[in-house]
Amino acid sequence: MYETYYGLSAKPFRLRPDPHFFYGSKGHKRAMAYLDYGLSQGEGFIVITGEVGAGKTTLVRNLLNNLPSEQIIAAHIVNTHLDSDDTLRMVLSAFGLEYENVSKADLLTRLERFLRACDQEGRRALLIVDEAQNLTARTLEELRMLSNFQTDDRPLLQTFLLGQPEFRTTLHSVGMQQLRQRVIASYHLGPMDAAETQAYIEHRLATVGWNGDPSFSPGAYGAIFDYTGGIPRKTNTLCDRLLLMGYLEELHAFTEVDVNTVIRDIDEEFELPPGATPTEPAEPMPAELAGSSGQIDERMMRLEKSIVSVLSILKKIVATPPAGSATAPVPTSETRE
């Protein structure tokens, strides 16, 4: 919608992780350096934590996009609301192996056979587990046991664990000592600072052909940072809505006032109705639906954006009286009789 209006080749602030838009802030560069270091070591666990929306999955996508496929075969798991046995099945599925209707012993045998075949081909196996904060202690122990697959001189499987900050609490809990001893590097990905947030916005816009239209005042950048705290996902959400409003209102320069207007709209949309109480979170998605979760999220995001666009257009229409029309007088006590 607003892409054509501003001469952009695509939407610059999509919510889904896209390595095409990867921006190397200080924190993201350091986190990527830890992942690269882990790859160079070829063993053990690498742990990366960060707040919700900090860009951990984008890091992974960027890493996967640049892996030498002739040297490393990687599997990426994103659904971690599973017990230990289901996690093992998910590992096999991620590597493209058959996992249905077989015992745990058969699952382990198939995985070991696959890992040894990779080694004989001169390739290493890398397992990347996202949302690691959802893993139970038993599941983590299962993953640790997989690191025991090795030849006489090298391991057959390396694992990267990415999760929210609470995963560090799990990692330092009683019973995790053996796993901690196999962590060769750990890093916490923090938010961007104000200057990085501005550079991040301009980078994403430039990636889709931005030529300065629309422009952002220093106050607009400051208001965006104050609201988002330098979290990439929150920045994307706010900037996407800002560009939508700019299209509807025919704006080519955003100020602090414009940003605060959008912020108020967003905050009002998430306010509970009078008398309503928060509900319990929904049950985790069943494992059999995990493969389609990304498609469902994408469809829901498109539907949400469509509804927001329609509502914004309707509000504009209602707020603008037809040309030449006069506003009807409000009845007073003298005219009601």
Side-chain angles (χ1 to χ4, degrees):
M1 182 177 286
Y2 62 70
E3 303 96 295
T4 302
Y5 183 71
Y6 290 120
L8 307 176
S9 61
K11 293 190 69 172
F13 299 106
R14 295 183 183 275
L15 292 182
R16 70 169 182 263
D18 187 342
H20 183 60
F21 288 99
F22 178 75
Y23 171 71
S25 69
K26 293 190 293 287
H28 288 82
K29 285 180 179 178
R30 182 166 294 185
M32 187 58 65
Y34 273 81
L35 294 177
D36 289 336
Y37 169 76
L39 285 177
S40 71
Q41 298 304 298
E43 64 178 350
F45 290 78
I46 299 290
V47 174
I48 302 291
T49 56
E51 299 292 343
V52 175
K56 301 182 295 297
T57 303
T58 302
L59 277 175
V60 170
R61 297 291 173 83
N62 187 61
L63 177 74
L64 293 173
N65 221 34
N66 293 284
L67 280 180
S69 57
E70 70 281 0
Q71 299 175 15
I72 298 174
I73 180 168
H76 185 196
I77 296 178
V78 295
N79 185 9
T80 52
H81 281 290
L82 306 167
D83 61 29
S84 57
D85 288 349
D86 283 338
T87 298
L88 181 57
R89 295 179 187 278
M90 189 67 76
V91 170
L92 269 74
S93 175
F95 278 118
L97 305 176
E98 291 293 331
Y99 62 92
E100 296 181 345
N101 303 318
V102 293
S103 66
K104 182 176 179 179
D106 288 334
L107 292 173
L108 292 170
T109 300
R110 289 183 183 184
L111 180 59
E112 182 176 15
R113 188 182 302 125
F114 167 77
L115 295 176
R116 293 193 180 280
C118 289
D119 182 66
Q120 292 172 3
E121 295 170 1
R123 304 167 75 189
R124 292 195 286 118
L126 172 65
L127 175 63
I128 302 174
V129 182
D130 221 332
E131 303 297 341
Q133 75 279 352
N134 298 325
L135 298 172
T136 64
R138 183 177 176 183
T139 300
L140 284 169
E141 177 63 12
E142 194 76 54
L143 292 176
R144 184 193 69 81
M145 294 295 291
L146 296 183
S147 66
N148 288 332
F149 289 135
Q150 54 188 328
T151 64
D152 290 339
D153 59 349
R154 59 184 174 274
L156 296 174
L157 179 67
Q158 185 178 26
T159 303
F160 290 175
L161 300 173
L162 295 94
Q164 295 171 23
E166 53 265 35
F167 177 58
R168 290 181 174 269
T169 302
T170 302
L171 195 60
H172 287 85
S173 62
V174 177
M176 290 289 103
Q177 182 177 358
Q178 292 191 71
L179 178 59
R180 290 197 301 272
Q181 291 176 350
R182 301 196 183 193
V183 174
I184 63 174
S186 177
Y187 181 72
H188 180 75
L189 178 61
M192 301 179 291
D193 61 26
E196 288 176 326
T197 299
Q198 176 175 339
Y200 171 83
I201 294 168
E202 294 175 349
H203 167 77
R204 293 190 72 103
L205 286 165
T207 302
V208 294
W210 179 58
N211 60 3
D213 179 23
S215 62
F216 296 73
S217 72
Y221 282 122
I224 292 171
F225 175 74
D226 289 342
Y227 180 75
T228 66
I231 298 295
R233 188 182 301 165
K234 292 186 67 176
T235 303
N236 288 354
T237 300
L238 176 56
C239 288
D240 182 64
R241 291 289 296 273
L242 184 63
L243 291 176
L244 175 61
M245 186 195 77
Y247 163 73
L248 295 172
E249 302 294 335
E250 299 182 356
L251 301 177
H252 292 276
F254 293 122
T255 66
E256 180 179 357
V257 173
D258 299 319
V259 175
N260 287 331
T261 298
V262 174
I263 290 173
R264 282 196 299 272
D265 288 343
I266 293 175
D267 288 343
E268 287 174 1
E269 290 167 9
F270 287 96
E271 286 182 356
L272 285 173
T277 56
T279 59
E280 292 295 322
E283 290 296 319
M285 182 178 296
E288 59 269 19
L289 296 180
S292 61
S293 62
Q295 297 174 358
I296 294 173
D297 288 344
E298 179 68 16
R299 288 196 296 270
M300 290 298 294
M301 185 176 67
R302 288 201 300 268
L303 177 61
E304 178 184 316
K305 293 298 182 184
S306 299
I307 293 173
V308 169
S309 299
V310 171
L311 289 176
S312 299
I313 293 170
L314 289 175
K315 285 195 293 185
K316 183 180 179 183
I317 293 173
V318 171
T320 305
S325 64
T327 304
V330 178
T332 66
S333 59
E334 297 178 354
T335 62
R336 290 195 187 106
E337 299 180 354

